[in-house]
């Protein structure tokens, strides 16, 4: 039979476990938010560079070359995001 002291101990351990679980959840959410902010910043910088490249186009040939280069897959960025 469990005593009142046993119930208090179990309740205390449950609260500690719940707090540890909540702390891990908050830590994970913070890391995800930081990663997303980093990715968003990189995306905005990339977009600005692409716009500069498009604005510098002087003829149709340059436009075609620029569009082809901008259409290349950005697997490096995706790989880095996945690693972080």
């Amino acid at each position: 039979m469990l005593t009142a002291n046993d119930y208090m101990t179990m309740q205390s351990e449950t609260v500690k476990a719940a707090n540890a679980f909540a702390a891990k959840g908050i830590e994970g959410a913070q890391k995800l938010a930081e990663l997303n902010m980093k990715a968003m910043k990189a995306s905005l910088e990339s977009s600005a560079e692409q716009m500069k490249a498009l604005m510098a186009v002087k003829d149709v040939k340059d436009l075609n070359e620029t569009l082809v280069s901008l259409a290349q897959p950005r697997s490096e960025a995706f790989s880095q995001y996945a690693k972080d």
Side-chain angles (χ1 to χ4, degrees), residues 3 6-7 9 12 14 16 20 22 24 27 35 40 43-45 48 50 55 58 62 64-65 72 80-81 83-84:
T3 65
D6 292 335
Y7 284 114
T9 301
S12 176
T14 302
K16 286 179 187 176
K24 283 292 183 184
E27 181 182 331
L35 177 62
M40 186 172 33
S43 177
L44 288 173
E45 289 172 355
Q50 291 173 356
M55 298 303 283
K58 297 193 181 350
D62 284 344
N64 186 40
E65 291 172 0
Q72 296 299 318
Q80 186 62 37
Y81 182 84
K83 287 179 185 177
D84 291 343

Side-chain angles (χ1 to χ4, degrees), residues 8-71:
M8 288 176 53
T9 301
M10 287 187 331
Q11 185 177 10
S12 176
E13 290 174 6
T14 302
V15 168
K16 286 179 187 176
N19 284 340
F21 180 73
K24 283 292 183 184
I26 290 170
E27 181 182 331
Q30 287 175 330
K31 286 182 180 180
L32 181 61
E34 290 171 7
L35 177 62
N36 285 335
M37 290 298 289
K38 183 180 172 183
M40 186 172 33
K41 182 179 178 185
S43 177
L44 288 173
E45 289 172 355
S46 176
S47 294
E49 290 173 10
Q50 291 173 356
M51 288 303 295
K52 286 179 185 177
L54 287 172
M55 298 303 283
V57 169
K58 297 193 181 350
D59 59 25
V60 175
K61 182 181 177 205
D62 284 344
L63 176 61
N64 186 40
E65 291 172 0
T66 302
L67 290 175
V68 168
S69 71
L70 294 178

